[in-house]
Amino acid sequence: MQDRALIEKLGKVITKRFLKFLADEAKSRPEDFDKFYSEFGIYLKEGAATDFTHKDGLAKLLRFESSRTEKGKTTSLADYVSRMGEEQKEIYYLIGASRASIERGPYLEGFASRDIEVLFCYENVDDYVMRNLREFDGKTLTAADSADVKLAEKENEGESLSKDEMAALTKWLKETLGDRVAEVKSSDRLVDSPAAVLNADSFMSPQMRAMMRAMKKDGEGEDAPPLKVNLELNPRHAVIKKLSASKDTAGDKAGLIAEQLFDNAMLAAGLLEDPSAMVQRFYKLLEQV
């Protein structure tokens, strides 16, 4: 029993057989597998993220709700891939506290309008799993709220601000918000929301940054790195049109609206760390109504 090579070989054989057993169960008795997964899925996720040898087999066992499943129903990565359009090269996912919070947020709008399926991830470990899994069946796993996502052009309803008007507005907003944003630009993914912040840090997700902050107690440990986000604007939304029209005439009030717009977007993304300034600013805006 002290023969390390023998133990490692036994471990690989047993693991391979057990994963095959689970795959067979998932295919022949999906309801029973779903019950098993609800209890032990966290361990399969951990294995998919850390066990390079069995990563592919474990990835096939993972289950997630998605924008095309009913609440409480899940889908596999393989089934997701089978439904992808010919032009789609990436598997998209969103991380949130619940299905409702993801569906209410601005990040699903562009995908829903293009009929692109998005996986919903609710557990804290999901960000770590997706970043380490990286791909499945040759398709890259991509966070739908990443600034790097490029969606196909689509004609949206409603009159839009002109390119010159958007250029002037984005420049003014960048000057007004300063270092709080890495970039301000027009969005091709927003449909109903006026604005959204997108993670501009390819090395650290908002979830990982929040975890680092949560682990820091009483001044101990390292500070989380500065937050890097892009602000994207919906050029067809009434709020953006009014802000564009008032930025040169409303003075301080326009600046307050710009900051409130940004904080609203940060709040929707779950990234607003201290809402006290936002609340006080909101009161100032109410005084001017």
Side-chain angles (χ1 to χ4, degrees):
M1 293 302 292
Q2 295 181 13
D3 187 334
R4 182 174 178 180
L6 177 60
I7 296 300
E8 289 181 352
K9 185 175 182 179
L10 283 172
K12 289 180 180 179
V13 170
I14 292 172
T15 301
K16 185 177 180 179
R17 289 186 178 180
F18 184 62
L19 292 180
K20 184 180 184 304
F21 165 76
L22 290 179
D24 291 341
E25 288 292 296
K27 184 177 181 179
S28 61
R29 298 196 296 172
E31 293 184 359
D32 289 339
F33 177 78
D34 287 343
K35 293 178 181 179
F36 168 84
Y37 189 86
S38 66
E39 293 291 331
F40 302 103
I42 186 78
Y43 303 107
L44 297 180
K45 289 182 178 181
E46 181 182 352
T50 60
D51 187 343
F52 182 79
T53 302
H54 303 98
K55 181 176 72 171
D56 292 341
L58 286 161
K60 293 177 181 178
L61 298 173
L62 300 183
R63 298 291 186 270
F64 303 93
E65 287 190 39
S66 87
S67 54
R68 290 191 185 175
T69 67
E70 298 177 8
K71 183 177 180 181
K73 301 295 184 180
T74 60
T75 185
S76 67
L77 293 174
D79 286 341
Y80 177 104
V81 171
S82 71
R83 295 189 291 266
M84 288 173 57
E86 293 182 2
E87 307 245 336
Q88 186 178 340
K89 305 300 181 185
E90 298 171 296
I91 298 173
Y92 296 106
Y93 65 90
L94 279 171
I95 297 176
S98 65
R99 184 185 184 104
S101 66
I102 292 176
E103 291 179 332
R104 285 197 302 263
Y107 304 108
L108 195 61
E109 297 175 4
F111 297 90
S113 67
R114 291 167 174 81
D115 195 29
I116 298 175
E117 186 174 7
V118 179
L119 299 175
F120 296 161
C121 305
Y122 312 133
E123 297 181 315
N124 293 331
V125 72
D126 286 335
D127 178 59
Y128 177 74
V129 172
M130 294 302 197
R131 283 176 168 265
N132 282 273
L133 194 57
R134 296 186 181 181
E135 67 173 35
F136 178 84
D137 196 20
K139 312 294 183 182
T140 304
L141 291 160
T142 302
D145 58 355
S146 169
D148 296 330
V149 170
K150 304 296 181 185
L151 297 177
E153 291 187 8
K154 182 180 182 297
E155 191 69 30
N156 291 299
E157 297 181 2
E159 185 178 351
S160 171
L161 290 175
S162 69
K163 290 185 178 180
D164 290 341
E165 289 172 326
M166 281 302 297
L169 178 59
T170 55
K171 180 182 178 181
W172 175 78
L173 276 169
K174 180 65 178 79
E175 293 172 350
T176 301
L177 298 173
D179 293 337
R180 297 180 69 186
V181 291
E183 184 181 2
V184 182
K185 62 180 182 179
S186 178
S187 176
D188 58 3
R189 69 175 80 194
L190 294 175
V191 179
D192 300 316
S193 300
V197 291
L198 304 174
N199 182 34
D201 191 338
S202 59
F203 297 101
M204 177 166 288
S205 67
Q207 291 77 24
M208 189 181 300
R209 187 175 185 277
M211 189 179 299
M212 287 185 64
R213 288 182 60 85
M215 292 171 62
K216 180 178 170 60
K217 297 180 179 180
D218 300 326
E220 298 178 356
E222 297 182 359
D223 287 324
L227 189 63
K228 292 176 62 178
V229 297
N230 292 345
L231 177 63
E232 291 197 0
L233 309 175
N234 183 350
R236 296 164 298 280
H237 200 280
V239 170
I240 302 303
K241 292 179 181 178
K242 289 183 179 180
L243 183 59
S244 174
S246 64
K247 64 181 174 56
D248 296 322
T249 59
D252 293 342
K253 182 178 180 180
L256 291 174
I257 294 174
E259 292 184 1
Q260 192 70 25
L261 178 74
F262 177 71
D263 277 355
N264 285 355
M266 291 287 284
L267 184 63
L271 299 175
L272 189 63
E273 295 167 355
D274 183 6
S276 58
M278 174 184 174
V279 173
Q280 294 303 317
R281 185 189 312 111
F282 182 67
Y283 287 149
K284 288 182 181 179
L285 286 170
L286 288 178
E287 291 174 358
Q288 300 180 44
V289 172

